[in-house]
Amino acid sequence: MLDSQTIATVKSTLPAVAELGPRLTEHFYQRLFDHHPELKDIFNMSNQSNGNQRVALFNAIAAYASNLDNLAALGPAVEKIAQKHTTFAVSPAQYAVVGQHLLATIDEMLHPGDDVLAAWGKAYGVLAGVFVQREEQIYQQSEEKSGGWRGQREFVISEVIPQGSMIKSFVLTPVDGRPVADYRPGQYLALWVTDPSFENQEIRQYSLTRTPNGRDYRIAVRHQPGGTLSSWLHQQQPGSRLHLSPPAGDFFIDIDARTPVALISGGVGLTPMLAMLHKLAQDKHPAPVQWLHATENGNTHAFAEEVSALGARLPDFSQHIWYQHPLEEDKGTCHHRGLMDLLPLKSCFSDRAQHYYLCGPLAFMRSVEQSLVQLGVGQSHIHYEVFGPHSTL
């Protein structure tokens, strides 16, 4: 626990830190990579270049400093970050390195004096301890599961299946032939890939797209123009090898049999929803299930037949599909034209017991959340996943 003087000192510095904004974290990352270039093999450098990681880290620092006297409020954020950290195999020693360069950054940009730096050092130490403890728990839980492991495990791409013009499914089978760990529908795993064409090792998280079978995993990857790992994956054939971290993530379906559910996605955001739909179909979920999906057109509409087949196994299933720019041949294959608009479907969202799971581009999810709130849906019934560095809606 932090003493009152430390809390007061950090909070008194927070306005100066807030004024710096993401310039603080930009300086931090530059300093970190200058001194430890090996960490470029851990961080997603695409998120460094587009600024997403800098913004996410700054927001996390500001949130932590603001809640030093109410750390329980940070619980959900800590869990989300800890889950992701385990897929990068983050270690206690790396927390020490990050702390060193964070304090040096504050010193170089603000020159606040030794007392303030000592207070920030204490505060960072407490937070690092929380993460180290929770991440060790996750590592142990992953290792102790039937079919589980710790760190990285070698897998082979055993199947590659096109899903529309932009997405491919990949079935990943362990090279050692042993079983693989179960997971909760909505969770993801991380791929670790090194290749002579890469400047650095690449690590990416991809959602699992079906229920566990104990034998292999299935993911789906959208080809991002210029994306290092997505481009590499889309060039691969069965037989290519890579390494995986165990499944992780705090976004998963968690409802009882009486709860209606709406699965709402945009583009490749349908991937965690697909695993959830598999689970609901497997359980023959008796309450209503709605599938709402938006994509560009019929060419980019992935898993359409699979979704319909799963829906046919449910006693009360309905779909609404939006094509933003339908093609001539798409006539009759989608329900709505343009961007997803939930307001005309007010009757679909009248059950106050219904829960909503969202995934897709950040702007898409913000629009959907705004519509749901406008329709009277409570925030506690809205659950979402952001691909990449976390951001609040």
Side-chain angles (χ1 to χ4, degrees), residues 155 157 168 170 172 191-198 202 206 221 223-224 226-237 239-243:
F155 280 68
I157 297 175
K168 288 184 178 181
F170 298 87
L172 310 171
L191 279 61
W192 294 56
V193 179
T194 55
D195 188 83
S197 64
F198 296 171
E202 297 291 341
Y206 295 106
V221 179
H223 181 216
Q224 301 282 357
T228 303
L229 192 51
S230 69
S231 297
W232 181 88
L233 282 166
H234 273 247
Q235 295 170 4
Q236 300 310 300
Q237 299 297 323
S240 298
R241 295 193 177 196
L242 41 72
H243 288 81

Side-chain angles (χ1 to χ4, degrees), residues 266-304:
V268 75
L270 90 171
T271 51
M273 305 301 160
L274 191 57
M276 294 180 188
L277 186 61
H278 270 271
K279 174 61 174 172
L280 293 165
Q282 178 180 289
D283 294 344
K284 294 184 170 51
H285 190 70
V289 175
Q290 298 182 62
W291 178 270
L292 302 100
H293 179 62
T295 186
E296 182 70 13
N297 53 49
N299 285 344
T300 63
H301 189 179
F303 297 103

Side-chain angles (χ1 to χ4, degrees), residues 93 196 204:
R204 298 288 187 278

Side-chain angles (χ1 to χ4, degrees), residues 81-373:
I81 295 169
Q83 290 282 341
K84 188 157 286 190
H85 278 181
T86 62
T87 68
F88 290 104
V90 171
S91 69
Q94 288 169 333
Y95 276 102
V97 169
V98 166
Q100 173 191 344
H101 291 283
L102 180 60
L103 292 178
T105 296
I106 293 172
D107 187 25
E108 290 166 0
M109 297 194 76
L110 292 175
H111 310 294
D114 291 343
D115 289 345
V116 170
L117 290 174
W120 275 89
K122 285 183 184 179
Y124 175 82
V126 168
L127 181 63
V130 170
F131 276 112
V132 167
Q133 181 179 33
R134 177 59 187 137
E135 287 161 19
E136 179 57 29
Q137 291 173 345
I138 298 170
Y139 289 134
Q140 290 182 13
Q141 290 165 359
S142 296
E143 188 174 22
E144 292 167 3
K145 277 184 179 180
S146 176
W149 70 97
R150 186 179 182 121
Q152 290 74 58
R153 183 175 173 187
E154 191 173 22
F155 280 68
V156 62
I157 297 175
S158 52
E159 291 183 66
V160 181
I161 307 142
Q163 304 285 352
S165 61
M166 298 295 292
I167 295 174
K168 288 184 178 181
S169 279
F170 298 87
V171 177
L172 310 171
T173 303
V175 170
D176 60 21
R178 297 172 63 84
V180 298
D182 285 353
Y183 53 89
R184 303 184 75 169
Q187 291 188 303
Y188 52 80
L189 45 73
L191 279 61
W192 294 56
V193 179
T194 55
D195 188 83
S197 64
F198 296 171
E199 185 175 350
N200 304 105
Q201 175 180 250
E202 297 291 341
I203 307 172
R204 298 288 187 278
Q205 291 87 12
Y206 295 106
S207 298
L208 293 145
T209 58
R210 62 187 180 193
T211 47
N213 61 20
R215 301 185 307 275
D216 52 35
Y217 296 124
R218 188 183 72 168
I219 61 171
V221 179
R222 180 184 185 274
H223 181 216
Q224 301 282 357
T228 303
L229 192 51
S230 69
S231 297
W232 181 88
L233 282 166
H234 273 247
Q235 295 170 4
Q236 300 310 300
Q237 299 297 323
S240 298
R241 295 193 177 196
L242 41 72
H243 288 81
L244 302 184
S245 294
D250 70 330
F251 178 67
F252 45 78
I253 195 163
D254 184 20
I255 55 174
D256 63 33
R258 299 165 296 175
T259 303
V261 60
L263 306 175
I264 306 176
S265 59
V268 75
L270 90 171
T271 51
M273 305 301 160
L274 191 57
M276 294 180 188
L277 186 61
H278 270 271
K279 174 61 174 172
L280 293 165
Q282 178 180 289
D283 294 344
K284 294 184 170 51
H285 190 70
V289 175
Q290 298 182 62
W291 178 270
L292 302 100
H293 179 62
T295 186
E296 182 70 13
N297 53 49
N299 285 344
T300 63
H301 189 179
F303 297 103
E305 293 182 2
E306 186 169 321
V307 167
S308 295
L310 291 168
R313 295 163 54 188
L314 288 161
D316 190 348
F317 177 75
S318 59
Q319 284 196 70
H320 284 276
I321 305 298
W322 284 259
Y323 286 172
Q324 185 173 3
H325 298 110
L327 305 171
E328 183 66 26
E329 57 268 30
D330 289 336
K331 287 182 178 178
T333 61
C334 68
H335 306 99
H336 311 278
R337 185 188 186 104
L339 299 175
M340 182 180 286
D341 184 4
L342 302 183
L343 298 182
L345 303 176
K346 183 176 181 179
S347 61
C348 295
F349 314 114
S350 59
D351 192 330
R352 293 293 180 251
Q354 186 158 255
H355 278 249
Y356 301 82
Y357 292 82
L358 322 180
C359 192
L362 193 56
F364 165 84
M365 289 195 291
R366 284 175 172 157
S367 174
V368 169
E369 185 205 35
Q370 184 179 34
S371 295
L372 291 175
V373 171

Side-chain angles (χ1 to χ4, degrees), residues 28-46 48 53 88-91 93-101 192 199-204:
F28 160 76
Y29 278 120
Q30 184 62 58
R31 195 181 203 286
L32 181 69
F33 294 139
D34 283 347
H35 287 80
H36 294 275
E38 73 279 3
L39 292 179
K40 292 181 180 180
D41 285 338
I42 302 297
F43 285 85
N44 181 337
M45 298 310 293
S46 296
Q48 293 296 323
Q53 188 65 55
F88 290 104
V90 171
S91 69
Q94 288 169 333
Y95 276 102
V97 169
V98 166
Q100 173 191 344
H101 291 283
W192 294 56
E199 185 175 350
N200 304 105
Q201 175 180 250
E202 297 291 341
I203 307 172
R204 298 288 187 278

